[in-house]
Amino acid sequence: MDKIFECIDGYLVDLEKDIMDIVSDQKIPLTEKNKLMEPIADQKKVLIYTRSALETIKNKEYKAECGMSKNR
């Protein structure tokens, strides 16, 4: 699972660089910058959520028992 975390972290760094490139470009009007950054921000949110969910799975203690026994 560590390889997945490395991929997500690497992609988050790439997205951050893309955002900084857009922000630093003086030729792009502010409204266009917002339009260009919105899908990047959405991707970043999904990746952060995904990484968090995967960390939960990684840290979860799984037991070999029947799920129905918990109801009793």
Side-chain angles (χ1 to χ4, degrees):
M1 191 170 292
D2 290 336
K3 188 173 182 178
I4 295 171
F5 290 132
E6 289 174 20
C7 290
I8 291 172
D9 292 342
Y11 197 63
L12 286 169
V13 168
D14 291 346
L15 290 176
E16 198 64 37
K17 182 187 174 303
D18 292 345
I19 288 173
M20 294 310 296
D21 289 344
I22 293 168
V23 169
S24 65
D25 190 340
Q26 298 291 326
K27 296 176 275 179
I28 302 174
L30 186 57
T31 54
E32 185 68 19
K33 286 181 183 185
N34 289 339
K35 181 179 149 189
L36 293 170
M37 288 192 304
E38 190 170 0
I40 297 170
D42 287 344
Q43 291 175 46
K44 188 174 175 181
K45 288 176 194 173
V46 169
L47 288 173
I48 290 170
Y49 174 79
T50 300
R51 191 178 199 298
S52 175
L54 288 171
E55 285 177 359
T56 300
I57 292 169
K58 181 180 178 182
N59 296 326
K60 183 177 179 181
E61 183 180 329
Y62 291 92
K63 299 177 183 174
E65 59 184 29
C66 178
M68 292 179 67
S69 65
K70 293 178 185 177
N71 295 333
R72 292 182 180 187

